[in-house]
Amino acid sequence: MIQDNADLTRWNRAGLAKFRYISGNAATYLDLLREGLESGFPDWKPSPFSEAVDESEKDRLERLIDQYLAARGDLTWEISRSFARCAHVLCEHLDAYANEGYLRTATQWDNVRRLVAMLDYHPAPPASAATWQVLKVKDGLSGTVEAGFQLKYSPPDGDPPVIFETLEDLDVDAALNSVRLSGWNRATGNLSGATWLIGEDADVTAGQTGLIVAGKNARVVTVTAISEPDSETGLVELTLDENVPTSWKKADAILLLSPKSVRRPRLNGTGVVQLIKPSGIVSGEMVAWKDRDDKWIFAKVSEADSMEIAFEGSQPESGDVLYRMVPVEEKDSSTNKFAFPGSFRMAARESGGSVEMIGTDAMDPVKDDDEVLRYYTLKNNSGISRVYHVPTEAEPAGSVAAGAEEYEFDGDPGDLKSGQWIVATLGSEDLPGKIIRITEQEDSFILKIELQEKKEKRAPSGSIREEVVRPERMSRNARLVRISGPFELEARPEGYDRNETGVSGSLLHLDGGLPAGLVRGKALILEQENGERDGFQNPLKVTVKSLNQDAGTIVI
């Protein structure tokens, strides 16, 4: 009925601290017998606890317990259950008996006494017990605990308390209460598959944009989904889009969400210049300036606000002086007469969508009987749609300021500060931005922002390597539409402050250097903190063999 390869008993295997012959218990043995009976006797009525097709491990364990405890009233079943129980008890007795034959695993005092007697050692008093205890010292205290210090252990099952006494003087120091290894609070993995948890009351919704920041680099991400709150912790899990930089270190990454404000800058971008002071220039006007060769240049204003102007076509440079061009009224279209003033800086004509300067040799003055200048007649008038001039007495409309790559905003900066990360929307693309400088003015402020965009380069091996491109290497053709930030919420990936790699070798690097009380020969208890943070596992007693104060290392 039992399969030939069923492993009910086995010899001790590598890695076990003591002999262990069984790989199951009465409940699991009974289930093995059930399987054999059902396959060997098709007419035998199956157990009502037969396993389901999609049975989980949790359901399986519950089924085994219920199956073992349930009464069937079937003689074959009851004999099988008794046999399973006997096998369990027999294996446990074999296990206990085998371990009593070795000093390291023996638990009965009489067996220990017989074993050490073979070494000609006779313990006194004839019955005793020993254990390791860790003393925790109050903060700031150190000194010596004299031999004979007593500790009482009260068994939870109600047995009489056991009193232990220290056998020698102990040097104690509060600095040794908890000594951590270097890097204990820093995860060694990357963000691949990282879990992001926040409080259920956090103001975060699906579709919200945020930033993942790690050191000098940042990446814009979007929240695509939010889980239901955990019944115990009240935390919710965020699902982010595929823009998460999986190769970044988990220990460095911070997720920024919920911007405090969204601000729109004044006019900026390609074809936009910033003036030194307000000009009053409006959209649709023609503006003229002289280039470095003293040649007049013309451009039409496509957009304008108080101190920023966007042009169609040519664009002035820093320091250029702008003049408004005044349309000239045409007095008589049949004779092509235009009412120019008596003097002017410059005249220009618009035809076919382009503007060009009119030389004085192309203009004939028209005077009245008293030889007073009234009009000018243009010699070449084909295709003219409009004629302009710049009056001699006209004041400059404005001067182009330097630093047009900075961005100006109305009002005051509020919560914005240098060094903060923001999301900058250039055209239709969201990019990480870092505030480098804030310059406050009377009714506005100027931000100098370092923008980043992600580019991927394919290495010779075929793998994709990410490169962060900064402003001096970026295309700045897109207009800055808005900035979002600073952010109210910071989240870290789960486990960012836990080093799960464990310890190997005898050389240990300690966090923060070596405490004064840590000396050669000092006994230590090493414990591995478990993942749930509710205790420790695998305590191990070690002794300091040597230490290096400068390097902050010990050898155990």
Side-chain angles (χ1 to χ4, degrees):
M1 294 187 295
I2 303 298
Q3 298 177 6
D4 293 339
N5 60 354
D7 187 13
L8 292 180
T9 64
R10 58 184 168 85
W11 294 106
N12 189 41
R13 295 184 180 172
L16 295 179
K18 59 182 182 178
F19 282 100
R20 187 71 177 172
Y21 291 125
I22 65 171
S23 58
N25 53 39
T28 60
Y29 295 160
L30 181 59
D31 197 53
L32 288 173
L33 291 170
R34 176 192 61 76
E35 293 178 359
L37 289 169
E38 289 183 357
S39 62
F41 300 96
D43 295 333
W44 183 67
K45 183 179 180 181
S47 166
F49 299 95
S50 299
E51 62 182 298
V53 175
D54 56 347
E55 185 179 53
S56 66
E57 184 63 20
K58 179 176 180 296
D59 293 335
R60 174 180 173 273
L61 295 177
E62 292 178 353
R63 177 177 61 80
L64 293 183
I65 294 173
D66 294 339
Q67 176 178 261
Y68 182 77
L69 297 177
R72 285 286 307 280
D74 183 291
L75 185 59
T76 302
W77 182 257
E78 294 300 335
I79 292 174
S80 300
R81 179 160 53 182
S82 298
F83 180 78
R85 175 62 180 168
C86 290
H88 182 173
V89 174
L90 177 60
C91 288
E92 289 291 341
H93 278 280
L94 288 173
D95 181 37
Y97 184 81
N99 282 290
E100 289 302 310
Y102 295 87
L103 184 59
R104 187 171 184 176
T105 55
T107 60
Q108 302 301 308
W109 165 247
D110 196 55
N111 291 330
V112 173
R113 182 184 61 78
R114 292 177 181 178
L115 289 169
V116 298
M118 292 188 291
L119 304 175
D120 199 28
Y121 175 76
H122 305 281
S128 63
T131 187
W132 282 97
Q133 296 286 343
V134 177
L135 301 182
K136 186 174 182 180
V137 184
K138 289 185 177 180
D139 291 344
L141 297 182
S142 62
T144 301
V145 176
E146 296 181 353
F149 178 74
Q150 293 187 344
L151 301 102
K152 182 173 70 172
Y153 170 70
S154 298
D157 58 4
D159 288 347
V162 179
I163 304 297
F164 294 91
E165 290 188 357
T166 57
L167 300 179
E168 56 187 17
D169 293 344
L170 302 176
D171 293 327
V172 296
D173 189 337
L176 294 175
N177 283 344
S178 179
V179 181
R180 301 275 190 172
L181 300 186
S182 294
W184 68 275
N185 59 347
R186 180 178 174 81
T188 57
N190 54 35
L191 286 179
S192 179
T195 300
W196 303 86
L197 300 175
I198 59 173
E200 61 180 313
D201 297 330
D203 185 19
V204 178
T205 57
Q208 188 176 116
T209 298
L211 281 176
I212 291 181
V213 178
K216 296 181 179 179
N217 298 327
R219 180 77 62 81
V220 176
V221 294
T222 301
V223 178
T224 58
I226 302 177
S227 71
E228 292 295 325
D230 184 90
S231 58
E232 296 182 0
T233 65
L235 299 177
V236 299
E237 181 178 345
L238 301 180
T239 302
L240 305 179
D241 62 7
E242 296 180 353
N243 208 29
V244 175
T246 56
S247 62
W248 290 7
K249 294 295 184 183
K250 183 189 293 187
D252 299 328
I254 303 174
L255 175 62
L256 304 178
L257 293 168
S258 300
K260 294 181 180 180
S261 62
V262 177
R263 298 172 182 261
R264 297 184 179 275
R266 291 180 176 178
L267 199 58
N268 64 87
T270 300
V272 175
V273 298
Q274 189 177 63
L275 303 183
I276 295 176
K277 60 181 181 180
S279 66
I281 296 175
V282 297
S283 175
E285 282 195 74
M286 290 295 299
V287 177
W289 66 91
K290 284 187 175 183
D291 64 12
R292 298 301 181 262
D293 296 326
D294 206 33
K295 177 184 176 182
W296 284 100
I297 307 296
F298 315 99
K300 189 173 184 178
V301 177
S302 58
E303 292 184 71
D305 58 22
S306 62
M307 292 183 65
E308 289 78 25
I309 302 175
F311 294 96
E312 295 177 2
S314 301
Q315 183 174 349
E317 300 179 6
S318 173
D320 286 344
V321 178
L322 307 183
Y323 292 90
R324 289 168 127 169
M325 298 177 66
V326 181
V328 178
E329 180 183 358
E330 186 176 8
K331 288 297 186 182
D332 188 346
S333 59
S334 62
T335 58
N336 195 28
K337 294 179 180 179
F338 291 87
F340 283 93
S343 64
F344 47 85
R345 292 177 186 268
M346 174 271 301
R349 53 181 284 170
E350 182 178 358
S351 60
S354 62
V355 180
E356 60 181 5
M357 185 175 174
I358 303 174
T360 55
D361 59 343
M363 304 172 65
D364 286 336
V366 178
K367 300 181 181 181
D368 60 13
D369 295 340
D370 297 327
E371 294 295 317
V372 177
L373 181 65
R374 295 296 185 188
Y375 308 104
Y376 281 96
T377 301
L378 301 184
K379 293 180 180 180
N380 181 8
N381 64 347
S382 63
I384 294 178
S385 59
R386 179 161 291 189
V387 177
Y388 301 90
H389 78 285
V390 175
T392 303
E393 69 279 3
E395 295 290 335
S399 298
V400 179
E405 299 237 340
E406 298 178 341
Y407 304 97
E408 186 171 5
F409 297 78
D410 292 324
D412 62 79
D415 292 331
L416 295 174
K417 294 180 176 59
S418 296
Q420 288 177 335
W421 286 98
I422 58 172
V423 173
T425 303
L426 265 69
S428 59
E429 183 180 9
D430 290 328
L431 293 176
K434 191 173 187 180
I435 298 175
I436 304 302
R437 184 175 64 248
I438 301 178
T439 304
E440 295 193 50
Q441 303 182 124
E442 184 175 351
D443 59 352
S444 64
F445 63 95
I446 297 174
L447 293 185
K448 183 173 179 60
I449 302 173
E450 181 183 76
L451 299 173
Q452 293 185 1
E453 67 177 350
K454 179 193 68 173
K455 288 187 177 179
E456 291 180 342
K457 286 189 174 182
R458 191 169 295 277
S461 62
S463 61
I464 293 178
R465 177 173 61 87
E466 180 179 291
E467 180 183 21
V468 175
V469 185
R470 292 188 168 79
E472 62 271 13
R473 298 171 58 190
M474 286 178 59
S475 169
R476 297 298 303 279
N477 294 327
R479 178 172 298 176
L480 180 65
V481 178
R482 62 181 174 271
I483 63 169
S484 303
F487 297 89
E488 293 183 349
L489 179 64
E490 290 188 4
R492 304 297 297 267
E494 187 177 27
Y496 79 97
D497 58 348
R498 296 183 61 81
N499 187 334
E500 303 286 0
T501 57
V503 180
S504 61
S506 58
L507 179 65
L508 305 181
H509 293 260
L510 302 188
D511 186 28
L514 306 184
L518 190 59
V519 296
R520 182 178 179 183
K522 187 74 173 179
L524 303 175
I525 298 294
L526 294 185
E527 292 182 303
Q528 175 68 43
E529 193 172 7
N530 64 20
E532 289 74 28
R533 302 193 187 190
D534 59 0
F536 295 87
Q537 59 186 7
N538 301 330
L540 176 66
K541 174 188 170 289
V542 297
T543 303
V544 178
K545 295 181 178 179
S546 63
L547 49 96
N548 186 326
Q549 190 70 39
D550 295 333
T553 61
I554 63 172
V555 176
I556 57 174

